[in-house]
Amino acid sequence: MTASCLFCKNSIVEILCLGQQPASNRFLRDGEVDEYTHPLTLGRCVDCGLLQLANPMPSHQLVPCFNWIHYNEPETHLDDVVDRIMLAGVVDREDAIGGLSYKDESTLARFNSVGYTETLIIDPERDLGIGNQNAGLETIQERWTPNAARKFAERNGSVKLLVARHILEHSHDTHRFLEAVQEAVVPGGYVLFEVPDFSKCLGNRDYCFLWEEHTIYFVPQTLKSIFSGRRGFRFVDMWHYEYPFENSLIILLQLGEVSKKGATSRVLSDETPVSFGGEFHARKKKVQEVVARFRQTGSRIAAFGAGHLACKFINFYELGHWVDFVVDDHPGKQGLYLPGSRLPIVGSSELDSGRVGLVLMSLSPESEEKVLLNQAERIAAGMKFVSMFEGSARSLLNEG
């Protein structure tokens, strides 16, 4: 595999190749239309150990075609984050605090509520020249260049603290992205990054959390180590917040002089990523066997939730010819087809169309509980609801 690390530019080795995959947000209006696909390959840097996609899908192919596509991140930890920043004393109430995207609005609102009034968020159109209203993080990370950041600082002033939640893992040129961050923050200022922790997915073998929009897959060791002595960032602190499938990792960094020579993380002794890649095909076979056994009973099979996780689960395990349809009550999705498998997306009333015996849920544990309460009558009639995620107590593989 010929590819270089998104962060340190050294070579990466292949961990898992999942073949040609579509963009999960490119819902199809016609089940027969051609769709763009791109190889999805997970690799790891031989130097810094960072897990990442080799040859990520081009950013312009990731721009949603629909204006109703939104991604929500867990936020119950943000009050604690703001409290920790206040206790650390890294910003005074008259200091400017910036946000890199709409993902940071809720954090800045929390700072406002405790007396920090100088807050601002980068405007995609004015500051980055993004005119497409559907564009999101895939375009922001591409347009966030050192030149764009300098112009932002000239127009608005440099900030003492820059908050950047859930965007670092989307970066296609992480080195350039971080250089831009340095241009927007005052010398000696601070940066707060939040990223999802891929540790549980590695351990649980939850492959469907691999996604063309996430180019980097952090674990606590690599998040901390890549900034140790690199890129002019000094490690200050890191916080870890527990969530069911992916924990949240937050790292606080201070800007300093650019290091001429970066230290390497050398995390290659951890073979978990290697075994994660090596066990995929056996896991795929087992999933197919369980689903096929349900199908042999004459049961129809449905997926519940037409999001990117369901898309990946069905496509990675090649379940499209066993699953009959995907249920999602979002009005914008109904009548469309899931990328890759081209399964029709219908309303939940379709579950009553007859002979549906198995429903594959792509939901968080909290949402699972709500759905199961709402589906009590169908469950009592014999319909089985299971989770696509191996980290769930209701995992499909528990049926095997």
Side-chain angles (χ1 to χ4, degrees):
M1 176 175 62
T2 303
S4 58
C5 177
L6 297 171
F7 183 79
C8 70
K9 303 301 182 182
N10 286 296
S11 60
I12 63 176
V13 294
E14 182 179 306
I15 299 295
L16 175 62
C17 179
L18 292 160
Q20 296 289 131
Q21 297 291 333
S24 304
N25 63 25
R26 294 290 181 93
F27 296 98
L28 306 173
R29 291 185 172 89
D30 182 340
E32 303 298 325
V33 71
D34 290 337
E35 60 182 335
Y36 172 81
T37 62
H38 191 85
L40 199 157
T41 302
L42 181 68
R44 181 169 64 169
C45 179
V46 299
D47 188 15
C48 71
L50 198 60
L51 280 172
Q52 58 201 276
L53 297 186
N55 182 29
M57 186 178 289
S59 300
H60 70 272
Q61 293 289 354
L62 298 171
V63 179
C65 297
F66 304 95
N67 60 13
W68 40 259
I69 293 179
H70 300 285
Y71 302 111
N72 298 315
E73 311 296 348
E75 295 195 345
T76 56
H77 60 283
L78 291 182
D79 287 332
D80 185 69
V81 170
V82 172
D83 286 344
R84 287 175 182 266
I85 294 294
M86 293 172 61
L87 287 172
V90 300
V91 284
D92 296 324
R93 279 181 167 75
E94 65 272 15
D95 288 330
I97 303 175
L100 194 48
S101 79
Y102 64 92
K103 296 275 188 177
D104 304 316
E105 292 176 355
S106 55
T107 308
L108 267 57
R110 285 170 167 84
F111 276 111
N112 293 152
S113 69
V114 291
Y116 293 83
T117 58
E118 297 299 317
T119 58
L120 68 160
I121 289 183
I122 289 166
D123 185 282
E125 184 171 5
R126 184 192 64 220
D127 297 320
L128 302 178
I130 301 173
N132 187 341
Q133 296 301 307
N134 293 349
L137 298 181
E138 77 294 322
T139 309
I140 293 173
Q141 66 81 26
E142 182 178 51
R143 300 288 184 89
W144 179 242
T145 64
N147 185 52
R150 279 191 293 272
K151 291 182 178 178
F152 168 79
E154 291 168 1
R155 183 182 299 114
N156 303 283
S158 300
V159 299
K160 181 68 175 295
L161 170 67
L162 182 67
V163 179
R165 298 183 64 232
H166 293 276
I167 188 170
L168 182 61
E169 70 273 19
H170 291 256
S171 60
H172 285 229
D173 186 337
T174 311
H175 178 72
R176 185 187 68 181
F177 182 89
L178 294 175
E179 285 184 334
V181 166
Q182 291 173 303
E183 294 288 346
V185 180
V186 300
Y190 296 83
V191 184
L192 187 79
F193 287 119
E194 178 176 343
V195 299
D197 178 4
F198 199 60
S199 301
K200 285 184 178 179
C201 301
L202 284 172
N204 293 329
R205 305 305 191 251
D206 264 325
Y207 296 96
C208 59
F209 283 83
L210 293 171
W211 187 30
E212 64 279 350
E213 296 200 35
H214 282 183
T215 58
I216 301 175
Y217 296 84
F218 291 102
V219 296
Q221 303 95 305
T222 53
L223 180 62
K224 181 177 180 179
S225 62
I226 64 172
F227 287 109
S228 298
R230 291 176 180 264
R231 312 297 184 213
F233 292 95
R234 182 182 71 83
F235 174 80
V236 178
D237 209 345
M238 185 167 73
W239 309 309
H240 189 262
Y241 295 94
E242 194 82 13
Y243 286 100
F245 296 130
E246 283 186 310
N247 295 333
S248 284
L249 288 173
I250 292 185
I251 189 168
L252 179 64
L253 304 160
Q254 185 178 24
L255 269 61
E257 292 184 6
V258 176
S259 174
K260 299 299 182 183
K261 183 179 180 181
T264 58
S265 63
R266 299 297 183 194
V267 296
L268 296 181
S269 59
D270 181 7
E271 293 303 309
T272 303
V274 177
S275 59
F276 174 82
E279 293 177 20
F280 171 75
H281 293 289
R283 197 61 54 99
K284 176 180 177 179
K285 181 180 179 182
K286 187 175 181 182
V287 168
Q288 289 181 339
E289 287 173 349
V290 174
V291 171
R293 188 164 63 249
F294 271 96
R295 196 58 190 253
Q296 288 166 1
T297 66
S299 295
R300 299 176 75 207
I301 299 174
F304 200 107
H308 71 275
L309 293 170
C311 181
K312 289 291 170 272
F313 184 87
I314 292 168
N315 290 338
F316 289 171
Y317 292 135
E318 299 183 37
L319 303 179
H321 59 293
W322 282 305
V323 178
D324 293 275
F325 54 86
V326 183
V327 169
D328 199 304
D329 286 326
H330 190 293
K333 294 181 181 179
Q334 291 180 30
L336 301 177
Y337 297 83
L338 204 66
S341 64
R342 300 169 184 268
L343 291 170
I345 303 173
V346 299
S348 55
S349 60
E350 187 67 20
L351 291 172
D352 298 320
S353 61
R355 299 195 340 274
V356 176
L358 180 67
V359 180
L360 306 170
M361 298 183 291
S362 61
L363 306 170
S364 67
E366 297 84 358
S367 297
E368 280 183 6
E369 294 297 334
K370 295 176 183 177
V371 166
L372 294 176
L373 285 173
N374 291 335
Q375 301 297 327
E377 290 187 14
R378 291 179 175 128
I379 293 171
M383 195 176 296
K384 183 176 288 290
F385 286 74
V386 300
S387 175
M388 297 181 184
F389 309 136
E390 298 194 37
S392 169
R394 299 185 178 90
S395 170
L396 166 68
L397 290 186
N398 292 343
E399 305 297 321

